[in-house]
Amino acid sequence: MKLHLECERTIHFQKVDGTQGVLKEGAQAYMHFITSKKIDIWMRATVLELHDEGLRVQSDDGLRWNFFYSDLKDVSTQKPDAVTRAEVERLINFLRPVPHTSLPDCFVQAVALLTRPYHRLTEQQAAVIRKMAMENDCDVLEDCCTGQQYTWGVADGSVQLMPLKGRL
């Protein structure tokens, strides 16, 4: 990845695949860092400061990090597939059924309860969710760590885990 820092504290970069982008202070992006200490991390970060040798970012969990540009391997506005898969796998492990819950029978009312982004499930993950729901007579599952509630169904051509806007 090639980088060029302008005086307006803007990074112009060109990735290996030839695509180009711009990062400014205050911008949010997914960034891939590989440091000299063998730390390999993808994080969604807000750019706090850009300097001649590196940048200071804040990850979504509130931690602040200083990185050299030489550590920055990739920047994207979209979450990498590997990160998405890891997040969904973590989420599946923390979901618990909310017994005897159901969404409204009216499709329009049920969809109004949902919010994006949805999480695409593999066939195996979908099977786990269906089994858990059937055994507990429920349409709603809850992340036991965050309290976020989810339902599932076919959306955008595949089985998706879909967050609810509020609690049922």
Side-chain angles (χ1 to χ4, degrees), residues 6-65:
E6 290 185 345
C7 59
E8 300 107 28
R9 294 298 181 212
T10 302
I11 297 177
H12 290 265
F13 59 91
Q14 180 176 353
K15 296 196 247 182
V16 176
D17 65 5
T19 59
Q20 296 187 9
V22 175
L23 265 185
K24 295 184 176 189
E25 288 180 350
Q28 288 189 336
Y30 289 93
M31 299 179 195
H32 185 198
F33 298 100
I34 300 178
T35 70
S36 59
K37 295 180 180 175
K38 305 297 184 221
I39 296 172
D40 187 339
I41 185 171
W42 272 102
M43 71 169 68
R44 183 169 188 261
T46 302
V47 179
L48 299 176
E49 299 172 44
L50 301 174
H51 303 287
D52 291 336
E53 300 84 27
L55 68 165
R56 182 173 171 86
V57 300
Q58 180 172 321
S59 55
D60 278 353
D61 57 9
L63 295 176
R64 294 178 180 218
W65 305 75

Tab-separated table of all heavy atoms in Angstrom, residues 6-65:
chain	number	residue	atom	x	y	z
A	6	GLU	N	-0.751	14.730	2.891
A	6	GLU	CA	-0.814	16.128	2.466
A	6	GLU	C	-0.776	17.035	3.684
A	6	GLU	O	-1.047	16.615	4.800
A	6	GLU	CB	-2.108	16.394	1.684
A	6	GLU	CG	-2.149	15.738	0.338
A	6	GLU	CD	-3.412	16.135	-0.430
A	6	GLU	OE1	-4.348	16.677	0.180
A	6	GLU	OE2	-3.429	15.903	-1.643
A	7	CYS	N	-0.516	18.308	3.435
A	7	CYS	CA	-0.419	19.272	4.532
A	7	CYS	C	-1.771	19.486	5.214
A	7	CYS	O	-1.823	19.901	6.353
A	7	CYS	CB	0.148	20.598	4.037
A	7	CYS	SG	-0.830	21.347	2.736
A	8	GLU	N	-2.892	19.194	4.549
A	8	GLU	CA	-4.206	19.349	5.183
A	8	GLU	C	-4.540	18.164	6.080
A	8	GLU	O	-5.677	17.947	6.424
A	8	GLU	CB	-5.312	19.478	4.133
A	8	GLU	CG	-5.184	20.637	3.211
A	8	GLU	CD	-4.761	20.188	1.807
A	8	GLU	OE1	-5.067	19.061	1.399
A	8	GLU	OE2	-4.104	21.000	1.146
A	9	ARG	N	-3.545	17.366	6.409
A	9	ARG	CA	-3.719	16.191	7.247
A	9	ARG	C	-4.711	15.218	6.616
A	9	ARG	O	-5.690	14.791	7.205
A	9	ARG	CB	-4.165	16.569	8.657
A	9	ARG	CG	-3.112	17.335	9.413
A	9	ARG	CD	-1.893	16.465	9.555
A	9	ARG	NE	-0.834	17.130	10.287
A	9	ARG	CZ	0.439	16.912	10.041
A	9	ARG	NH1	0.813	16.097	9.117
A	9	ARG	NH2	1.359	17.520	10.743
A	10	THR	N	-4.416	14.897	5.387
A	10	THR	CA	-5.175	13.919	4.615
A	10	THR	C	-4.199	12.898	4.064
A	10	THR	O	-3.149	13.259	3.553
A	10	THR	CB	-5.906	14.609	3.434
A	10	THR	OG1	-6.767	15.616	3.957
A	10	THR	CG2	-6.717	13.621	2.641
A	11	ILE	N	-4.558	11.615	4.181
A	11	ILE	CA	-3.743	10.561	3.586
A	11	ILE	C	-4.400	10.130	2.286
A	11	ILE	O	-5.580	9.801	2.264
A	11	ILE	CB	-3.651	9.327	4.492
A	11	ILE	CG1	-2.960	9.645	5.802
A	11	ILE	CG2	-2.935	8.193	3.780
A	11	ILE	CD1	-2.913	8.461	6.733
A	12	HIS	N	-3.639	10.147	1.218
A	12	HIS	CA	-4.059	9.536	-0.037
A	12	HIS	C	-3.322	8.212	-0.106
A	12	HIS	O	-2.121	8.165	0.096
A	12	HIS	CB	-3.670	10.411	-1.237
A	12	HIS	CG	-4.468	11.660	-1.303
A	12	HIS	ND1	-5.598	11.773	-2.068
A	12	HIS	CD2	-4.318	12.852	-0.688
A	12	HIS	CE1	-6.099	12.981	-1.939
A	12	HIS	NE2	-5.342	13.655	-1.098
A	13	PHE	N	-4.060	7.145	-0.379
A	13	PHE	CA	-3.398	5.855	-0.419
A	13	PHE	C	-3.827	5.056	-1.643
A	13	PHE	O	-4.899	5.245	-2.192
A	13	PHE	CB	-3.660	5.051	0.868
A	13	PHE	CG	-5.108	4.773	1.154
A	13	PHE	CD1	-5.712	3.616	0.696
A	13	PHE	CD2	-5.864	5.668	1.897
A	13	PHE	CE1	-7.034	3.353	0.968
A	13	PHE	CE2	-7.189	5.417	2.168
A	13	PHE	CZ	-7.778	4.252	1.704
A	14	GLN	N	-2.937	4.186	-2.057
A	14	GLN	CA	-3.217	3.268	-3.147
A	14	GLN	C	-2.912	1.867	-2.647
A	14	GLN	O	-1.822	1.583	-2.182
A	14	GLN	CB	-2.374	3.570	-4.384
A	14	GLN	CG	-2.668	2.622	-5.526
A	14	GLN	CD	-1.907	2.991	-6.788
A	14	GLN	OE1	-1.257	4.016	-6.850
A	14	GLN	NE2	-2.008	2.147	-7.786
A	15	LYS	N	-3.920	1.005	-2.733
A	15	LYS	CA	-3.759	-0.358	-2.263
A	15	LYS	C	-3.100	-1.214	-3.333
A	15	LYS	O	-2.958	-0.795	-4.482
A	15	LYS	CB	-5.113	-0.945	-1.894
A	15	LYS	CG	-5.784	-0.240	-0.740
A	15	LYS	CD	-6.888	-1.095	-0.209
A	15	LYS	CE	-8.226	-0.485	-0.438
A	15	LYS	NZ	-9.312	-1.276	0.118
A	16	VAL	N	-2.733	-2.397	-2.930
A	16	VAL	CA	-2.082	-3.334	-3.832
A	16	VAL	C	-2.958	-3.626	-5.049
A	16	VAL	O	-2.476	-3.784	-6.160
A	16	VAL	CB	-1.745	-4.646	-3.080
A	16	VAL	CG1	-1.157	-5.672	-4.014
A	16	VAL	CG2	-0.801	-4.363	-1.924
A	17	ASP	N	-4.293	-3.658	-4.845
A	17	ASP	CA	-5.187	-3.963	-5.961
A	17	ASP	C	-5.404	-2.774	-6.899
A	17	ASP	O	-6.167	-2.855	-7.853
A	17	ASP	CB	-6.530	-4.491	-5.459
A	17	ASP	CG	-7.329	-3.459	-4.668
A	17	ASP	OD1	-6.899	-2.282	-4.570
A	17	ASP	OD2	-8.392	-3.816	-4.143
A	18	GLY	N	-4.753	-1.636	-6.617
A	18	GLY	CA	-4.833	-0.470	-7.492
A	18	GLY	C	-5.910	0.529	-7.114
A	18	GLY	O	-5.934	1.639	-7.637
A	19	THR	N	-6.828	0.170	-6.218
A	19	THR	CA	-7.862	1.120	-5.813
A	19	THR	C	-7.248	2.213	-4.944
A	19	THR	O	-6.225	2.015	-4.303
A	19	THR	CB	-8.994	0.418	-5.040
A	19	THR	OG1	-8.449	-0.226	-3.889
A	19	THR	CG2	-9.707	-0.597	-5.920
A	20	GLN	N	-7.886	3.374	-4.969
A	20	GLN	CA	-7.371	4.509	-4.224
A	20	GLN	C	-8.398	4.982	-3.214
A	20	GLN	O	-9.590	4.739	-3.360
A	20	GLN	CB	-7.015	5.639	-5.177
A	20	GLN	CG	-5.900	5.255	-6.127
A	20	GLN	CD	-5.432	6.423	-6.960
A	20	GLN	OE1	-5.813	7.558	-6.734
A	20	GLN	NE2	-4.583	6.140	-7.937
A	21	GLY	N	-7.923	5.666	-2.210
A	21	GLY	CA	-8.802	6.201	-1.188
A	21	GLY	C	-8.176	7.370	-0.473
A	21	GLY	O	-7.021	7.717	-0.710
A	22	VAL	N	-8.972	7.985	0.396
A	22	VAL	CA	-8.533	9.144	1.163
A	22	VAL	C	-8.937	8.933	2.618
A	22	VAL	O	-10.029	8.466	2.901
A	22	VAL	CB	-9.200	10.438	0.633
A	22	VAL	CG1	-8.842	11.635	1.495
A	22	VAL	CG2	-8.818	10.693	-0.809
A	23	LEU	N	-8.048	9.237	3.539
A	23	LEU	CA	-8.343	9.231	4.970
A	23	LEU	C	-8.070	10.614	5.520
A	23	LEU	O	-7.008	11.179	5.275
A	23	LEU	CB	-7.442	8.245	5.698
A	23	LEU	CG	-7.934	6.845	5.963
A	23	LEU	CD1	-6.912	6.095	6.801
A	23	LEU	CD2	-9.271	6.825	6.645
A	24	LYS	N	-9.012	11.145	6.272
A	24	LYS	CA	-8.830	12.449	6.913
A	24	LYS	C	-8.993	12.282	8.410
A	24	LYS	O	-9.578	11.308	8.876
A	24	LYS	CB	-9.873	13.444	6.403
A	24	LYS	CG	-9.744	13.778	4.945
A	24	LYS	CD	-10.751	14.831	4.556
A	24	LYS	CE	-10.530	15.210	3.103
A	24	LYS	NZ	-11.310	16.359	2.706
A	25	GLU	N	-8.493	13.246	9.150
A	25	GLU	CA	-8.709	13.226	10.587
A	25	GLU	C	-10.211	13.279	10.835
A	25	GLU	O	-10.938	14.038	10.200
A	25	GLU	CB	-7.995	14.403	11.253
A	25	GLU	CG	-6.493	14.214	11.250
A	25	GLU	CD	-5.732	15.357	11.911
A	25	GLU	OE1	-6.329	16.400	12.213
A	25	GLU	OE2	-4.511	15.193	12.096
A	26	GLY	N	-10.692	12.435	11.743
A	26	GLY	CA	-12.110	12.341	12.041
A	26	GLY	C	-12.832	11.265	11.242
A	26	GLY	O	-13.951	10.900	11.564
A	27	ALA	N	-12.192	10.727	10.208
A	27	ALA	CA	-12.818	9.700	9.378
A	27	ALA	C	-12.810	8.353	10.094
A	27	ALA	O	-11.948	8.083	10.926
A	27	ALA	CB	-12.083	9.577	8.049
A	28	GLN	N	-13.789	7.505	9.744
A	28	GLN	CA	-13.832	6.156	10.274
A	28	GLN	C	-13.593	5.170	9.146
A	28	GLN	O	-14.060	5.363	8.032
A	28	GLN	CB	-15.188	5.857	10.904
A	28	GLN	CG	-15.401	6.576	12.212
A	28	GLN	CD	-16.654	6.099	12.910
A	28	GLN	OE1	-17.571	5.600	12.287
A	28	GLN	NE2	-16.680	6.242	14.221
A	29	ALA	N	-12.860	4.111	9.459
A	29	ALA	CA	-12.576	3.081	8.464
A	29	ALA	C	-12.133	1.816	9.177
A	29	ALA	O	-11.765	1.849	10.354
A	29	ALA	CB	-11.475	3.551	7.517
A	30	TYR	N	-12.194	0.697	8.457
A	30	TYR	CA	-11.597	-0.537	8.942
A	30	TYR	C	-10.148	-0.522	8.507
A	30	TYR	O	-9.846	-0.238	7.352
A	30	TYR	CB	-12.323	-1.749	8.364
A	30	TYR	CG	-13.691	-1.912	8.965
A	30	TYR	CD1	-14.801	-1.352	8.362
A	30	TYR	CD2	-13.864	-2.582	10.171
A	30	TYR	CE1	-16.054	-1.460	8.928
A	30	TYR	CE2	-15.107	-2.703	10.749
A	30	TYR	CZ	-16.204	-2.136	10.117
A	30	TYR	OH	-17.438	-2.245	10.694
A	31	MET	N	-9.255	-0.789	9.434
A	31	MET	CA	-7.828	-0.728	9.158
A	31	MET	C	-7.160	-2.026	9.587
A	31	MET	O	-7.499	-2.603	10.610
A	31	MET	CB	-7.187	0.443	9.893
A	31	MET	CG	-7.741	1.776	9.483
A	31	MET	SD	-6.963	3.110	10.403
A	31	MET	CE	-8.110	4.427	10.063
A	32	HIS	N	-6.212	-2.463	8.771
A	32	HIS	CA	-5.481	-3.695	9.033
A	32	HIS	C	-4.049	-3.313	9.370
A	32	HIS	O	-3.354	-2.751	8.540
A	32	HIS	CB	-5.529	-4.575	7.784
A	32	HIS	CG	-4.901	-5.910	7.975
A	32	HIS	ND1	-4.515	-6.693	6.921
A	32	HIS	CD2	-4.582	-6.623	9.087
A	32	HIS	CE1	-4.016	-7.812	7.368
A	32	HIS	NE2	-4.040	-7.798	8.683
A	33	PHE	N	-3.637	-3.611	10.593
A	33	PHE	CA	-2.293	-3.295	11.052
A	33	PHE	C	-1.530	-4.586	11.333
A	33	PHE	O	-2.051	-5.506	11.943
A	33	PHE	CB	-2.334	-2.474	12.345
A	33	PHE	CG	-3.011	-1.142	12.206
A	33	PHE	CD1	-4.322	-0.959	12.611
A	33	PHE	CD2	-2.332	-0.064	11.666
A	33	PHE	CE1	-4.937	0.265	12.499
A	33	PHE	CE2	-2.945	1.167	11.544
A	33	PHE	CZ	-4.252	1.326	11.957
A	34	ILE	N	-0.283	-4.628	10.884
A	34	ILE	CA	0.633	-5.713	11.243
A	34	ILE	C	1.889	-5.041	11.772
A	34	ILE	O	2.602	-4.384	11.029
A	34	ILE	CB	0.963	-6.604	10.030
A	34	ILE	CG1	-0.304	-7.241	9.473
A	34	ILE	CG2	1.969	-7.681	10.436
A	34	ILE	CD1	-0.087	-8.096	8.251
A	35	THR	N	2.134	-5.194	13.061
A	35	THR	CA	3.240	-4.475	13.681
A	35	THR	C	4.490	-5.332	13.760
A	35	THR	O	4.458	-6.539	13.541
A	35	THR	CB	2.865	-4.024	15.106
A	35	THR	OG1	2.777	-5.172	15.934
A	35	THR	CG2	1.548	-3.268	15.130
A	36	SER	N	5.594	-4.673	14.115
A	36	SER	CA	6.867	-5.378	14.250
A	36	SER	C	6.824	-6.407	15.381
A	36	SER	O	7.624	-7.327	15.418
A	36	SER	CB	7.990	-4.376	14.501
A	36	SER	OG	7.703	-3.638	15.672
A	37	LYS	N	5.869	-6.260	16.306
A	37	LYS	CA	5.719	-7.217	17.406
A	37	LYS	C	4.761	-8.342	17.037
A	37	LYS	O	4.216	-9.023	17.889
A	37	LYS	CB	5.226	-6.501	18.659
A	37	LYS	CG	6.232	-5.508	19.190
A	37	LYS	CD	5.729	-4.825	20.424
A	37	LYS	CE	6.774	-3.831	20.907
A	37	LYS	NZ	6.295	-3.048	22.043
A	38	LYS	N	4.524	-8.514	15.734
A	38	LYS	CA	3.695	-9.599	15.202
A	38	LYS	C	2.226	-9.483	15.598
A	38	LYS	O	1.505	-10.472	15.652
A	38	LYS	CB	4.229	-10.965	15.622
A	38	LYS	CG	5.668	-11.205	15.253
A	38	LYS	CD	5.878	-11.189	13.760
A	38	LYS	CE	7.323	-11.528	13.447
A	38	LYS	NZ	7.904	-10.749	12.416
A	39	ILE	N	1.776	-8.276	15.898
A	39	ILE	CA	0.353	-8.067	16.150
A	39	ILE	C	-0.325	-7.880	14.801
A	39	ILE	O	0.062	-7.025	14.015
A	39	ILE	CB	0.120	-6.831	17.041
A	39	ILE	CG1	0.737	-7.065	18.421
A	39	ILE	CG2	-1.370	-6.527	17.153
A	39	ILE	CD1	0.727	-5.853	19.316
A	40	ASP	N	-1.317	-8.694	14.524
A	40	ASP	CA	-2.063	-8.639	13.269
A	40	ASP	C	-3.513	-8.372	13.645
A	40	ASP	O	-4.183	-9.236	14.212
A	40	ASP	CB	-1.915	-9.972	12.534
A	40	ASP	CG	-2.526	-9.944	11.144
A	40	ASP	OD1	-3.386	-9.080	10.878
A	40	ASP	OD2	-2.164	-10.802	10.334
A	41	ILE	N	-3.998	-7.176	13.379
A	41	ILE	CA	-5.313	-6.781	13.874
A	41	ILE	C	-6.085	-5.992	12.823
A	41	ILE	O	-5.526	-5.152	12.119
A	41	ILE	CB	-5.161	-5.952	15.170
A	41	ILE	CG1	-6.506	-5.613	15.781
A	41	ILE	CG2	-4.366	-4.679	14.931
A	41	ILE	CD1	-6.406	-4.987	17.167
A	42	TRP	N	-7.362	-6.320	12.690
A	42	TRP	CA	-8.313	-5.504	11.941
A	42	TRP	C	-9.095	-4.744	12.979
A	42	TRP	O	-9.539	-5.320	13.968
A	42	TRP	CB	-9.281	-6.379	11.162
A	42	TRP	CG	-8.851	-6.779	9.800
A	42	TRP	CD1	-8.351	-7.989	9.436
A	42	TRP	CD2	-8.891	-5.988	8.611
A	42	TRP	NE1	-8.076	-7.996	8.091
A	42	TRP	CE2	-8.398	-6.789	7.565
A	42	TRP	CE3	-9.277	-4.684	8.326
A	42	TRP	CZ2	-8.307	-6.326	6.255
A	42	TRP	CZ3	-9.183	-4.224	7.028
A	42	TRP	CH2	-8.705	-5.046	6.007
A	43	MET	N	-9.290	-3.473	12.786
A	43	MET	CA	-10.128	-2.732	13.720
A	43	MET	C	-10.886	-1.637	12.991
A	43	MET	O	-10.420	-1.105	11.994
A	43	MET	CB	-9.300	-2.116	14.847
A	43	MET	CG	-8.408	-0.953	14.440
A	43	MET	SD	-7.692	-0.056	15.823
A	43	MET	CE	-6.593	-1.272	16.491
A	44	ARG	N	-12.066	-1.356	13.482
A	44	ARG	CA	-12.804	-0.195	13.000
A	44	ARG	C	-12.319	0.956	13.864
A	44	ARG	O	-12.386	0.893	15.088
A	44	ARG	CB	-14.306	-0.384	13.158
A	44	ARG	CG	-15.090	0.783	12.597
A	44	ARG	CD	-16.562	0.423	12.521
A	44	ARG	NE	-17.297	1.434	11.828
A	44	ARG	CZ	-17.994	2.388	12.426
A	44	ARG	NH1	-18.033	2.445	13.752
A	44	ARG	NH2	-18.649	3.282	11.724
A	45	ALA	N	-11.803	1.969	13.221
A	45	ALA	CA	-11.156	3.029	13.982
A	45	ALA	C	-11.515	4.405	13.446
A	45	ALA	O	-11.826	4.568	12.268
A	45	ALA	CB	-9.636	2.847	13.933
A	46	THR	N	-11.462	5.362	14.333
A	46	THR	CA	-11.601	6.771	13.975
A	46	THR	C	-10.214	7.377	13.979
A	46	THR	O	-9.464	7.209	14.940
A	46	THR	CB	-12.492	7.504	14.997
A	46	THR	OG1	-13.764	6.862	15.046
A	46	THR	CG2	-12.661	8.963	14.610
A	47	VAL	N	-9.867	8.070	12.911
A	47	VAL	CA	-8.553	8.714	12.815
A	47	VAL	C	-8.572	9.957	13.700
A	47	VAL	O	-9.355	10.873	13.484
A	47	VAL	CB	-8.226	9.092	11.358
A	47	VAL	CG1	-6.878	9.789	11.288
A	47	VAL	CG2	-8.250	7.869	10.457
A	48	LEU	N	-7.727	9.974	14.713
A	48	LEU	CA	-7.639	11.132	15.615
A	48	LEU	C	-6.617	12.143	15.113
A	48	LEU	O	-6.888	13.344	15.101
A	48	LEU	CB	-7.267	10.670	17.028
A	48	LEU	CG	-8.254	9.712	17.704
A	48	LEU	CD1	-7.711	9.270	19.050
A	48	LEU	CD2	-9.620	10.363	17.856
A	49	GLU	N	-5.441	11.661	14.738
A	49	GLU	CA	-4.369	12.550	14.292
A	49	GLU	C	-3.542	11.868	13.221
A	49	GLU	O	-3.305	10.665	13.288
A	49	GLU	CB	-3.437	12.901	15.459
A	49	GLU	CG	-4.083	13.612	16.613
A	49	GLU	CD	-3.124	13.745	17.793
A	49	GLU	OE1	-1.952	14.099	17.560
A	49	GLU	OE2	-3.549	13.462	18.919
A	50	LEU	N	-3.106	12.636	12.261
A	50	LEU	CA	-2.186	12.160	11.235
A	50	LEU	C	-0.878	12.922	11.390
A	50	LEU	O	-0.880	14.141	11.508
A	50	LEU	CB	-2.764	12.404	9.832
A	50	LEU	CG	-4.110	11.730	9.538
A	50	LEU	CD1	-4.634	12.176	8.191
A	50	LEU	CD2	-3.958	10.229	9.575
A	51	HIS	N	0.231	12.214	11.423
A	51	HIS	CA	1.550	12.810	11.550
A	51	HIS	C	2.404	12.389	10.365
A	51	HIS	O	1.981	11.569	9.545
A	51	HIS	CB	2.210	12.372	12.867
A	51	HIS	CG	1.389	12.698	14.068
A	51	HIS	ND1	1.226	13.977	14.550
A	51	HIS	CD2	0.647	11.904	14.877
A	51	HIS	CE1	0.445	13.965	15.615
A	51	HIS	NE2	0.066	12.706	15.838
A	52	ASP	N	3.609	12.889	10.293
A	52	ASP	CA	4.477	12.550	9.175
A	52	ASP	C	4.850	11.069	9.152
A	52	ASP	O	4.957	10.469	8.092
A	52	ASP	CB	5.755	13.395	9.203
A	52	ASP	CG	5.469	14.853	8.886
A	52	ASP	OD1	4.442	15.119	8.227
A	52	ASP	OD2	6.265	15.709	9.286
A	53	GLU	N	5.037	10.444	10.323
A	53	GLU	CA	5.476	9.055	10.376
A	53	GLU	C	4.358	8.066	10.663
A	53	GLU	O	4.507	6.877	10.441
A	53	GLU	CB	6.549	8.859	11.457
A	53	GLU	CG	7.806	9.670	11.271
A	53	GLU	CD	7.656	11.089	11.818
A	53	GLU	OE1	6.852	11.303	12.747
A	53	GLU	OE2	8.328	11.985	11.287
A	54	GLY	N	3.264	8.548	11.229
A	54	GLY	CA	2.219	7.617	11.631
A	54	GLY	C	0.922	8.298	11.969
A	54	GLY	O	0.740	9.495	11.726
A	55	LEU	N	0.016	7.520	12.539
A	55	LEU	CA	-1.295	8.048	12.866
A	55	LEU	C	-1.736	7.554	14.233
A	55	LEU	O	-1.232	6.555	14.742
A	55	LEU	CB	-2.316	7.653	11.804
A	55	LEU	CG	-2.735	6.191	11.654
A	55	LEU	CD1	-3.997	6.135	10.821
A	55	LEU	CD2	-1.674	5.351	11.006
A	56	ARG	N	-2.649	8.298	14.828
A	56	ARG	CA	-3.244	7.936	16.112
A	56	ARG	C	-4.718	7.685	15.827
A	56	ARG	O	-5.387	8.515	15.210
A	56	ARG	CB	-3.062	9.068	17.113
A	56	ARG	CG	-3.601	8.780	18.492
A	56	ARG	CD	-3.196	9.934	19.426
A	56	ARG	NE	-3.826	9.874	20.713
A	56	ARG	CZ	-3.375	9.182	21.745
A	56	ARG	NH1	-2.277	8.474	21.617
A	56	ARG	NH2	-4.014	9.190	22.884
A	57	VAL	N	-5.198	6.512	16.266
A	57	VAL	CA	-6.583	6.148	16.020
A	57	VAL	C	-7.250	5.739	17.322
A	57	VAL	O	-6.577	5.441	18.320
A	57	VAL	CB	-6.703	4.992	14.994
A	57	VAL	CG1	-6.085	5.381	13.662
A	57	VAL	CG2	-6.090	3.710	15.516
A	58	GLN	N	-8.583	5.747	17.298
A	58	GLN	CA	-9.354	5.255	18.433
A	58	GLN	C	-10.256	4.148	17.929
A	58	GLN	O	-11.025	4.342	16.987
A	58	GLN	CB	-10.198	6.368	19.048
A	58	GLN	CG	-11.017	5.896	20.240
A	58	GLN	CD	-11.694	7.036	20.956
A	58	GLN	OE1	-11.116	8.107	21.111
A	58	GLN	NE2	-12.922	6.829	21.379
A	59	SER	N	-10.146	2.984	18.545
A	59	SER	CA	-10.981	1.855	18.145
A	59	SER	C	-12.368	2.016	18.764
A	59	SER	O	-12.580	2.841	19.648
A	59	SER	CB	-10.335	0.538	18.559
A	59	SER	OG	-10.053	0.529	19.939
A	60	ASP	N	-13.328	1.207	18.288
A	60	ASP	CA	-14.708	1.300	18.763
A	60	ASP	C	-14.850	1.055	20.254
A	60	ASP	O	-15.799	1.526	20.868
A	60	ASP	CB	-15.596	0.311	18.001
A	60	ASP	CG	-16.026	0.851	16.659
A	60	ASP	OD1	-15.760	2.030	16.367
A	60	ASP	OD2	-16.642	0.087	15.889
A	61	ASP	N	-13.907	0.330	20.851
A	61	ASP	CA	-13.983	0.068	22.287
A	61	ASP	C	-13.406	1.215	23.120
A	61	ASP	O	-13.305	1.118	24.328
A	61	ASP	CB	-13.287	-1.242	22.647
A	61	ASP	CG	-11.830	-1.277	22.221
A	61	ASP	OD1	-11.292	-0.242	21.793
A	61	ASP	OD2	-11.228	-2.362	22.311
A	62	GLY	N	-13.015	2.323	22.448
A	62	GLY	CA	-12.531	3.507	23.152
A	62	GLY	C	-11.030	3.570	23.344
A	62	GLY	O	-10.507	4.593	23.784
A	63	LEU	N	-10.316	2.483	23.038
A	63	LEU	CA	-8.860	2.482	23.198
A	63	LEU	C	-8.207	3.320	22.104
A	63	LEU	O	-8.673	3.343	20.964
A	63	LEU	CB	-8.313	1.058	23.151
A	63	LEU	CG	-8.750	0.130	24.280
A	63	LEU	CD1	-8.217	-1.265	24.051
A	63	LEU	CD2	-8.284	0.661	25.624
A	64	ARG	N	-7.136	3.989	22.454
A	64	ARG	CA	-6.390	4.792	21.493
A	64	ARG	C	-5.083	4.100	21.169
A	64	ARG	O	-4.431	3.562	22.055
A	64	ARG	CB	-6.145	6.194	22.054
A	64	ARG	CG	-7.446	6.937	22.196
A	64	ARG	CD	-7.288	8.301	22.792
A	64	ARG	NE	-8.602	8.914	22.873
A	64	ARG	CZ	-8.839	10.173	22.647
A	64	ARG	NH1	-7.849	10.985	22.353
A	64	ARG	NH2	-10.067	10.653	22.729
A	65	TRP	N	-4.721	4.127	19.876
A	65	TRP	CA	-3.556	3.415	19.384
A	65	TRP	C	-2.714	4.343	18.534
A	65	TRP	O	-3.242	5.151	17.777
A	65	TRP	CB	-3.981	2.246	18.502
A	65	TRP	CG	-4.929	1.282	19.129
A	65	TRP	CD1	-6.268	1.458	19.355
A	65	TRP	CD2	-4.640	-0.032	19.594
A	65	TRP	NE1	-6.815	0.347	19.920
A	65	TRP	CE2	-5.843	-0.589	20.074
A	65	TRP	CE3	-3.482	-0.785	19.629
A	65	TRP	CZ2	-5.907	-1.872	20.598
A	65	TRP	CZ3	-3.554	-2.062	20.144
A	65	TRP	CH2	-4.757	-2.590	20.631
